[in-house]
């Protein structure tokens, strides 16, 4: 009887020691998302269970080895026990019960982690060897007072606190894996196009700076495939998005297309060959244009540039002067103008 008491006390002491070690030692990264709280809760249940069974087994073995060892002068064999039906049924039934309970808890935790919020912010994530790019859709007011959608493309993942973000992730080459340890959950990012877009939902709940790490071996610079994550207040996020709706780090043609939409060019200039309020852009570059003064010019780079910054200088036959805003030289940077020209040139 005294053996059971001693073993029992040692098991309790060992379990508490191991359990409290994890819950108090700074082993895990910060909890910076609601999903992290849920995941850690499940992790802790497992940890305590493991601590208990580890203690139970280890204490029993060590206690037996020391206390029931052959003493000096002892002779003969130990008692032979072939089996014990009751004990074997018990030590089979208890683990089955535990596994079933953990399965139920695990499933409900998974459902909790994947819960969808209708108000989620969508961010498109593009992974490639060996960079991350994040694309947001922002509402921008045009000069005409219209609200239009524009893409904000960045290499830093900026997220508003306490709002679920839906990451729609795709890879341009090999398999990568999106992982922010402070958010706990991670997701493989697959190549193969729209069919293979993978989603991950995170609700950051702690402002701060974190890092996206690639958690899938993806080539030579896998270790350096990092990106900053910045969790800010919703107001800071809105300000950031509005500010960056003006920047573009895509290719020239794509940026040009964005400016053409953002600044309303395409409302008058079709990309399809149809005549609108203004001449179409399709097939414009390099072709001859009849102007309203009777002359004929070739639509070269200089012509396109002049048409943007000083539209009344060369009015195309059949179109009205003064319709197109005259102030694009001030509203657009020279880089933006060049990008729009690159976009027009690409429309052949
Ligand atoms: Cu991308 Cu490892």
């Amino acid at each position: 009887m005294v053996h059971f008491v001693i073993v029992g006390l040692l098991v309790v002491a060992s379990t508490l020691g191991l359990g409290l070690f994890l819950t108090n030692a700074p082993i895990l990264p910060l909890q910076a998302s609601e999903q992290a709280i849920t995941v850690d809760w499940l992790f802790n249940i497992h940890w305590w269970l493991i601590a208990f069974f580890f203690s139970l087994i280890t204490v029993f073995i060590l206690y037996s080895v020391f206390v029931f060892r052959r003493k000096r002068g002892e002779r003969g064999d130990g008692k032979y026990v072939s089996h014990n039906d009751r004990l074997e049924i018990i030590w089979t039934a208890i683990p089955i019960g535990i596994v079933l309970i953990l399965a139920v808890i695990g499933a409900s935790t998974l459902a909790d982690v994947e819960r969808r919020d209708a108000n989620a912010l969508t961010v498109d994530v593009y992974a490639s060897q060996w960079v991350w790019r994040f694309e947001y859709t922002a509402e921008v007011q045009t000069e005409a007072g219209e609200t239009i959608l524009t893409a904000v493309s960045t290499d830093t993942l900026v997220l508003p606190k306490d709002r679920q973000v839906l990451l729609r992730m795709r890879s341009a080459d090999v398999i990568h894996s999106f992982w922010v340890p402070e958010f706990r959950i991670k997701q493989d990012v697959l190549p193969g196009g729209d069919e293979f877009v993978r989603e991950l939902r995170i609700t950051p709940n702690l402002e701060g700076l974190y890092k996206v790490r690639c958690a899938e071996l993806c080539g030579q610079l896998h270790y350096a495939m990092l990106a900053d994550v910045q969790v800010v207040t919703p107001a800071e996020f809105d300000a950031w998005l509005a500010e960056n709706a003006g920047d573009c780090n895509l290719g020239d043609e794509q940026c040009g297309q964005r400016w053409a939409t953002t600044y309303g060019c395409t409302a008058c200039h079709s990309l399809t060959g149809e005549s609108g309020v203004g001449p179409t852009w399709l097939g414009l570059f390099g072709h001859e244009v009849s102007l309203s003064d009777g002359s004929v010019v070739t639509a070269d780079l200089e012509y396109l540039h002049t048409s943007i910054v000083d539209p009344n200088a060369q009015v195309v036959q059949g179109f009205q002067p003064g319709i197109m805003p005259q102030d694009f030289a001030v509203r657009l940077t020279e880089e933006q103008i060049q990008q729009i020209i690159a976009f027009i040139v690409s429309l052949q």
Side-chain angles (χ1 to χ4, degrees):
M1 189 63 198
V2 71
H3 292 308
F4 282 104
V5 174
I6 293 171
V7 167
L9 288 175
L10 285 173
V11 168
V12 169
S14 168
T15 304
L16 282 175
L18 285 169
L20 292 174
F21 169 70
L22 179 85
T23 38
N24 288 301
I27 294 175
L28 294 176
L30 274 175
Q31 278 182 342
S33 75
E34 281 174 20
Q35 288 76 13
I37 295 172
T38 313
V39 168
D40 285 0
W41 176 79
L42 186 62
F43 182 83
N44 283 339
I45 289 179
H46 282 81
W47 176 263
W48 279 100
L49 265 173
I50 291 165
F52 170 70
F53 282 105
F54 177 82
S55 303
L56 189 67
I57 293 164
T58 314
V59 167
F60 256 113
I61 291 175
L62 293 180
Y63 190 83
S64 305
V65 165
F66 282 107
V67 176
F68 302 116
R69 70 186 184 279
R70 173 173 291 195
K71 311 279 184 338
R72 190 178 291 276
E74 277 182 342
R75 297 249 168 267
D77 294 330
K79 188 184 169 193
Y80 176 69
V81 181
S82 72
H83 65 281
N84 185 326
D85 286 338
R86 193 156 62 131
L87 199 56
E88 283 165 22
I89 288 170
I90 289 172
W91 79 38
T92 305
I94 289 177
I96 287 176
I98 292 173
V99 167
L100 289 177
I101 290 167
L102 285 181
V104 171
I105 296 175
S108 82
T109 308
L110 183 63
D112 203 31
V113 165
E114 292 186 339
R115 197 172 49 225
R116 291 163 179 227
D117 188 335
N119 186 36
L121 165 79
T122 303
V123 178
D124 286 300
V125 178
Y126 297 89
S128 56
Q129 287 169 320
W130 290 273
V131 288
W132 299 97
R133 190 166 63 78
F134 309 100
E135 212 171 288
Y136 300 73
T137 304
E139 288 187 346
V140 169
Q141 294 281 116
T142 61
E143 292 284 304
E146 264 181 294
T147 304
I148 55 144
L149 293 175
T150 176
V152 172
S153 183
T154 132
D155 54 2
T156 300
L157 181 60
V158 180
L159 299 174
K161 182 174 172 276
D162 293 331
R163 178 173 170 195
Q164 188 178 81
V165 56
L166 164 60
L167 301 172
R168 302 181 67 252
M169 310 196 279
R170 59 192 89 206
S171 164
D173 35 50
V174 299
I175 300 177
H176 302 275
S177 185
F178 179 97
W179 183 39
V180 179
E182 289 83 357
F183 296 159
R184 296 297 187 277
I185 48 182
K186 66 182 168 192
Q187 170 66 50
D188 274 6
V189 185
L190 311 180
D194 289 347
E195 223 181 308
F196 294 93
V197 170
R198 287 293 175 269
E199 296 186 344
L200 187 63
R201 289 171 185 271
I202 296 166
T203 314
N205 63 359
L206 189 66
E207 282 170 54
L209 262 178
Y210 313 102
K211 276 243 189 290
V212 182
R213 287 153 213 281
C214 182
E216 182 70 52
L217 194 57
C218 60
Q220 202 178 8
L221 294 182
H222 156 69
Y223 69 93
M225 191 167 162
L226 306 167
D228 286 333
V229 182
Q230 215 177 336
V231 177
V232 298
T233 64
E236 284 169 337
F237 175 75
D238 290 342
W240 171 84
L241 196 60
E243 186 187 321
N244 282 272
D247 274 324
C248 181
N249 52 15
L250 304 168
D252 278 354
E253 285 170 26
Q254 282 167 287
C255 288
Q257 179 167 28
R258 201 176 109 189
W259 309 135
T261 316
T262 310
Y263 290 91
C265 311
T266 47
C268 296
H269 300 281
S270 86
L271 310 178
T272 57
E274 284 168 31
S275 245
V277 177
T280 183
W281 281 357
L282 184 70
L284 170 60
F285 178 69
H287 289 82
E288 289 192 334
V289 180
S290 306
L291 300 181
S292 55
D293 63 7
S295 63
V296 175
V297 295
T298 301
D300 53 14
L301 292 176
E302 200 195 337
Y303 168 86
L304 293 179
H305 193 272
T306 308
S307 297
I308 293 171
V309 297
D310 188 9
N312 284 353
Q314 300 160 301
V315 177
V316 178
Q317 206 167 51
F319 294 93
Q320 293 293 311
I323 302 281
M324 179 162 151
Q326 310 289 305
D327 56 358
F328 279 125
V330 234
R331 282 164 62 193
L332 297 169
T333 63
E334 183 57 29
E335 188 193 21
Q336 285 176 311
I337 292 171
Q338 291 303 334
Q339 286 170 333
I340 291 174
I341 291 172
F343 175 54
I344 296 173
V345 168
S346 74
L347 296 167
Q348 293 300 322

